[in-house]
Structures are given as C-alpha cells and as structure tokens.
Amino acid sequence: MFVLMEARGLHKNFGTFEAVRGIDLTLKKGEVLGFLGPNGAGKTTTMKMLTGFLAPSSGSATICGQLVTTGNYKARSKVGYLPEGAPLYGDMTTRSFLRFMASAHGIAQEEAYQIVESAASAVHLENVMEQRVETLSKGYTRRVGLAAAIMHSPDVLILDEPTDGLDPNQKHEVRRLIQAMSVDRGIIISTHILEEVDALCTRAVIINKGQIVADGTPSQLKVMSRYCNAVTLVVLTEEAEKIASAVRRVGGVREIEAANEGTYVRLTILAQDDVDIVDSINDIAGLSNWNIQQFSVETGRLDDVFGRLTNDGGY
Amino acid sequence: MSHVWTIFRRELTAYFMTPVAYVYLTIFLVMQGLFTFNLGQFYVREQADLAAFFAYHPRLYLFLIPAISMRLWAEERKTGTIELLLTLPIPVGAVVTGKYLAAVAFTAFALVLTFPIWITVNWLGNPDNGVIAVGYFGSLLMAGAYLAIGSAMSALTKNQVVAFILGVSLCFLFVAAGMPMVLNVFEGWLPATVMSAIANLSFLTHFSNLQKGVISLADMIYFVGVILMWLWATRLIVETKRESG
Ligand SMILES: Nc1ncnc2c1ncn2[C@@H]1O[C@H](COP(=O)(O)OP(=O)(O)O)[C@@H](O)[C@H]1O
Ligand SMILES: [Mg+2]
C-alpha cells in the first residue's frame, strides 16, 4: 500500500516538560488511523507537528515524500487539518469562510464556486451558507471545519477530536462522513472515545505520556485485553452460584465476574493468558443440565486494553 | 502575491464586519476635526492650508493607530484561528504582509473620509493642493510605521488591550524622541551629533518636511526602513510564539 505520511522519532519539549517522547507513525492510503490516549497524552501536540504548526524538538515527519517543517508551506497543501475545537473565523459567513479557505489553498476563482458548494453539500451545510459562523451550533461548526479541511482534496486528513462535544446523532453523522472520505486518502483522527475506534478505524495507536504503548488493528488490540476469549453465560439467578463454582474448577479459568440482571445473572468467565477455555466450558455446559439463556465468546474489550496501558501503575 | 491578496481581502473585510469599525471611523473623524478646527486654530490662522490638520497627526496617531493594529494577531491567538492560519499553504511572510496591508488600507480609508476638511480649505481659499497631497501621502506613510509597530505588539499577546497599550508605549518613544520637551532635557550635556541622532529617530522629525509638502529621500528611507524592520520583527515574533499556543 502507498505510504502517505511517515513520522520518525518525533519529540516535543515545552521548556523542561517532555510532551511527546519519540513517536513513529506510518499512514497508508485508505487507512483511518485512530490516535488514542488520555487527556494530556500528547495527541494534539503530535498533530501540530504533523501539520507543520509546531517544529519538533527532534525527529521529523514527511508527507508524500516532502519534509514537514514550519517553513515548508507547500507540504501543507497536501494536508487537511481540523484543529482541536475547530477554531474558525466567527465574523465570516459559512460561504465567505469557505471561499477564503479555497483561495488560501490556491484554488482558482472560477473553480472555487463549484468546489465550495460541493464541499458544503458533502457535509450538509446548505442551510447555513449565509449564516455567520459564530452563530452556528457546535455540530455545524465542526462540519464547517470539516468542509474546509476536505475542500482541496488533500491526501492526508488530520482531525483532532472531530466528534468532541457533539451529541450522539451528530457524532454518528461525523463518523459517517469520515468513513466516506477515507476511500482514497489517509486519515488520522485523535479521540479518547473508544467506541469511535471500533466504528471507524482500520488501525489504532494508543499513546500515553508522549509515547506509543500499542499499535495495531482494533481486533489486534482487543487480543491484549483480559476479556479476549472470555466466555459469557447468562443464567438463572437461582442456578448462578452452582454454575459459577462448577466453572471455576475448569482448567485455565482465571476469574469470574457476575452481574445481576434481575431474574438472570451474567457470568463473565475470564481465561488465563493464552488459554482457550471456550471448548471446556462448552463441554461442561453440555454435560450439565443448566438453563443457559445465552452463551457467547468475547473478542476483547478496548476499554480494558486502554485502561491497563494508560493507567499509572501500568499493567 | 496571490497569497498576500487572499489574506489582505479577508482581513480588510474583517475590519468592516464589526460595528466597532464604524464607531472607530466616527471617533477618527471627530478627533481630526476637533484637533484641526479647535486646537489647531484653523480659522484664527486665516491661512488656506492644511498645516494645522497635519501638524497634529503624529500625536493623534499615537492613540488612533494602535487601535487599528491591536487585533491583527492578538485576536487570532485568542480564538485559536492562528493554528488554522499558520497551517495554510501560505508562507508566514505573506500572512504578515497581507494583514499589515489590510490595516494600512483601513487607515487610508479613514484618511480619505477627512475629505470635507480639504473641501473646506478649497472653499475658503486657494491652497496648494500639491502640498496637501504630499501631506496626505506622508501622513499615511507615517501611519504605516505606527501600524508596523502595532502589528509586532499585537503578535506578542492574545489580549488586544495589552497589544494596544504596548503599541501606544512604543510609538510614544518614536514620537517623543523628537519632542523639544525631551530634547531639551539632553541639551547641554550631550554632543550635538548625538542630539540630532536621537531626533533623527523620531517620527516628528521625518514627518516635518512631508507635512510641508517636501519629499526627501532620507525621510522615505526612514519610514520604509522602520516599516520593514517592524514587519520583520512581527514575523519573528509570530514564528517564536507558536509554542505558547
Ligand atoms: N504550548 C504548551 N506549553 C506547555 N505545555 C504544553 C503546551 N501544549 C501542550 N502542553 C502540555 O503537553 C501535554 C500534552 O498535551 P496535548 O498534546 O494537548 O495532549 P492531548 O491532546 O493528548 O490531550 C499536556 O500535559 C499539556 O499540558
Ligand atoms: Mg488534544
């Protein structure tokens, strides 16, 4: 696959504080790379370096083969950037703002009209084109920022928390847009919302305190979870105690979590590392005469991986 | 060049987007009138020229011009749009220039609106309109120097009021250096060459010929030099202040 963006050993110090400590990234065409990490992990700072807003203290990034520097404005034309919080010129109307962005990207006047209108309709801004940007709702503001970021058909889109502060419907809508835009480019989105990764990303990088602590597809990351291959049984409350104690004796079972759901109890049976307990549990359940409402195997939970990798105190 | 034009257009429109612009223009004109006709004793002098009008510009501009330049960069930093601006495929130098020229254009517009004063002298007498034209040109050139200083001061902070105060203070130094009040302090214990060097730093000194309708190369070089120096400083400040967000 075609490499669009590459970062090697990015570091950023603010005074004596090391905000980013050695980030390596590769972004290929068609990828949606989720940049995950708790607040203060260094996501925004890394993105500012990737877009040429901040100069790295050391390390470098290239985009389509061009070195990204604060002075190399030509490299910036390959990037569409939605900064954190989507800052926009509030005193302009949506249309005049998008026109300005088109002209800033060197789009000729004659083409600008068409390009602005189609970028605007891609994110459904038709009804607010003549409205001042500062009077728009958060959802619309974010969409104006997105329209501005995609207008010049950049190879790489860098979106810093594109769904932050949106309501669930708006979040859904923005995710749908990002997915649609990913077809022939590479996208990096930062987020601390884990459902976003499952819904959107082809690959995820978890960073903590300025360093990468995990890198892989969502399913590869889930394998790192304690819940990977955990078996979930939904059983009758009166049988729960009996079943739990029988299951606990199965080889390879590490732990059982029980959650009360009225007449039923949900038992989550965690396996020891690298042990497959699914067959054993299936066997014992088949032999016994238990009333099992539901039997399922988990692929793992991102929040568990995220929590273990980014909580102080570690693993 | 098209980069500069893009920034210039947005910036100039932004000036007229807020009601503040119209309040400002009104104040600008009222002050001009007040200074020219009352303090300048326009009628008492019984001379059909604009000497009284131009004579007050260095002092008037001290407060009027930093008010135009204060928002140039401070506003961008406050709202976070600086990040948008500096990640556009536009060189920083072009952004600095485009913004500055927009402020100059706004100032020029304000100056053009003083035309009733010009009509008045032409109606009352027979002034030398060539001298007046040079006076206007010189006044705008001087305002350009104030604006360049103001732009650098605006780049230093995200607070417009702070940018204004810094602008007024620094411009004051450039005006005060030529005031008799200041020069008299040094009179007697500084050699005459140093005295004239100090006076030569001042807007007052270099504006004095222009306001009389005399264009000299030295004055041109001085004002253009001051403008370029402070635009360069603006760029340097913008570059180094990226870090602090
Ligand atoms: N301009 C700055 N000066 C000093 N410290 C900063 C600056 N920008 C960010 N930081 C610090 O760097 C760390 C990483 O910040 P950031 O990249 O914004 O994290 P994230 O986007 O992952 O929440 C934080 O501790 C933040 O306080
Ligand atoms: Mg952030």
Side-chain angles (χ1 to χ4, degrees):
Chain A
M1 267 196 296
F2 187 54
V3 174
L4 292 173
M5 178 165 238
E6 201 154 29
R8 287 289 160 259
L10 285 180
H11 278 259
K12 185 71 197 178
N13 304 334
F14 293 112
T16 56
F17 177 70
E18 298 179 80
V20 174
R21 305 183 292 164
I23 298 270
D24 294 319
L25 284 177
T26 307
L27 179 72
K28 293 171 185 162
K29 203 169 186 164
E31 272 189 325
V32 180
L33 177 63
F35 211 41
L36 305 176
N39 286 324
K43 303 183 293 293
T44 298
T45 307
T46 303
M47 289 181 145
K48 283 180 179 173
M49 290 190 280
L50 294 177
T51 52
F53 179 68
L54 282 183
S57 305
S58 69
S60 65
T62 55
I63 180 157
C64 303
Q66 289 216 46
L67 193 64
V68 178
T69 66
T70 53
N72 186 359
Y73 66 93
K74 293 214 171 92
R76 297 202 285 267
S77 65
K78 313 247 185 248
V79 187
Y81 180 35
L82 180 72
E84 190 167 28
L88 306 171
Y89 291 112
D91 53 18
M92 303 176 97
T93 64
T94 304
R95 181 173 277 120
S96 58
F97 173 72
L98 293 178
R99 284 287 186 85
F100 161 70
M101 292 298 282
S103 137
H105 281 289
I107 295 168
Q109 197 92 48
E110 312 84 63
E111 300 167 57
Y113 177 80
Q114 190 49 45
I115 287 175
V116 164
E117 300 306 311
S118 68
S121 74
V123 294
H124 309 300
L125 290 172
E126 293 91 343
N127 296 329
V128 297
M129 290 305 272
E130 290 307 324
Q131 205 171 321
R132 275 161 83 106
V133 169
E134 65 196 354
T135 66
L136 297 176
S137 70
K138 241 177 175 173
Y140 270 117
T141 306
R142 206 56 56 99
R143 281 193 250 168
V144 174
L146 272 175
I150 60 171
M151 200 158 37
H152 54 297
S153 311
D155 292 315
V156 174
L157 267 181
I158 297 183
L159 311 173
D160 199 350
E161 305 206 2
T163 58
D164 185 47
L166 302 186
D167 70 35
N169 292 338
Q170 295 169 330
K171 276 186 180 152
H172 184 77
E173 172 75 356
V174 167
R175 280 177 205 150
R176 206 185 51 73
L177 287 167
I178 292 172
Q179 214 140 32
M181 292 184 297
S182 71
V183 179
D184 46 7
R185 51 174 65 92
I187 302 183
I188 303 182
I189 65 165
S190 79
T191 179
H192 50 251
I193 306 167
L194 294 159
E195 50 180 299
E196 210 131 81
V197 179
D198 255 334
L200 205 54
C201 299
T202 57
R203 199 155 66 84
V205 167
I206 302 181
I207 74 166
N208 190 35
K209 294 184 185 152
Q211 285 178 313
I212 293 182
V213 290
D215 181 350
T217 63
S219 36
Q220 281 168 341
L221 293 184
K222 284 184 197 163
V223 171
M224 299 167 70
S225 155
R226 294 186 310 152
Y227 292 93
C228 176
N229 285 334
V231 174
T232 300
L233 301 178
V234 177
V235 301
L236 288 170
T237 305
E238 56 263 32
E239 286 189 346
E241 196 61 41
K242 179 180 74 189
I243 295 173
S245 64
V247 166
R248 197 167 284 125
R249 286 193 294 274
V250 173
V253 170
R254 185 221 305 260
E255 194 183 333
I256 298 176
E257 292 175 0
N260 221 322
E261 295 177 355
T263 43
Y264 298 106
V265 170
R266 174 180 295 269
L267 297 173
T268 306
I269 304 151
L270 279 62
Q272 285 163 11
D273 288 340
D274 301 324
V275 179
D276 193 344
I277 57 170
V278 179
D279 289 343
S280 325
I281 306 265
N282 200 8
D283 290 346
I284 185 174
L287 292 172
S288 321
N289 200 11
W290 299 333
N291 186 348
I292 294 176
Q293 298 297 309
Q294 188 193 320
F295 181 108
S296 57
V297 182
E298 287 202 32
T299 53
R301 297 182 192 173
L302 275 177
D303 59 349
D304 177 53
V305 180
F306 184 85
R308 286 199 298 154
L309 292 176
T310 61
N311 262 346
D312 295 342
Y315 302 70
Chain B
M1 209 52 220
S2 69
H3 291 318
V4 174
W5 176 242
T6 300
I7 300 293
F8 171 85
R9 234 178 6 189
R10 196 213 85 74
E11 204 66 37
L12 188 60
T13 330
Y15 270 112
F16 290 100
M17 279 297 177
T18 68
V20 178
Y22 303 97
V23 174
Y24 176 85
L25 287 172
T26 311
I27 292 174
F28 187 91
L29 296 178
V30 168
M31 295 292 277
Q32 291 280 17
L34 212 63
F35 273 71
T36 307
F37 293 110
N38 288 6
L39 299 171
Q41 306 200 304
F42 181 80
Y43 295 113
V44 180
R45 291 173 71 250
E46 292 194 334
Q47 278 184 26
D49 61 23
L50 285 184
F53 171 69
F54 291 123
Y56 278 99
H57 282 190
R59 265 149 279 206
L60 257 180
Y61 285 177
L62 210 44
F63 294 96
L64 290 177
I65 301 295
I68 295 180
S69 56
M70 64 184 184
R71 54 166 288 285
L72 282 180
W73 294 95
E75 174 97 344
E76 301 265 1
R77 193 161 277 138
K78 177 157 216 154
T79 58
T81 46
I82 184 113
E83 210 174 326
L84 201 69
L85 190 64
L86 296 186
T87 50
L88 290 174
I90 294 183
V92 179
V95 180
V96 170
T97 312
K99 276 178 166 285
Y100 169 75
L101 290 178
V104 171
F106 183 78
T107 310
F109 180 72
L111 264 179
V112 165
L113 291 185
T114 62
F115 72 92
I117 299 179
W118 172 70
I119 289 178
T120 308
V121 282
N122 272 281
W123 179 61
L124 290 175
N126 233 337
D128 183 340
N129 280 320
V131 170
I132 292 177
V134 172
Y136 267 109
F137 167 73
S139 178
L140 185 61
L141 192 62
M142 180 174 62
Y146 282 83
L147 286 171
I149 291 175
S151 141
M153 295 303 102
S154 177
L156 276 177
T157 168
K158 54 175 76 170
N159 185 325
Q160 291 197 36
V161 177
V162 173
F164 175 75
I165 292 169
L166 287 174
V168 172
S169 313
L170 205 60
C171 290
F172 176 72
L173 291 183
F174 274 85
V175 172
M179 284 180 174
M181 192 176 78
V182 175
L183 289 173
N184 287 343
V185 175
F186 298 109
E187 189 106 63
W189 57 277
L190 274 183
T193 48
V194 178
M195 289 280 295
S196 84
I198 293 176
N200 249 314
L201 283 177
S202 173
F203 292 161
L204 286 180
T205 314
H206 292 279
F207 184 57
S208 67
N209 283 331
L210 285 164
Q211 79 188 76
K212 287 180 221 134
V214 181
I215 300 183
S216 85
L217 188 64
D219 296 333
M220 294 294 108
I221 291 175
Y222 169 80
F223 280 119
V224 172
V226 167
I227 290 169
L228 291 181
M229 187 181 94
W230 285 101
L231 288 183
W232 177 78
T234 305
R235 195 197 147 146
L236 205 69
I237 294 167
V238 170
E239 287 285 5
T240 51
K241 287 279 283 185
R242 285 167 188 259
E243 307 282 299
S244 44

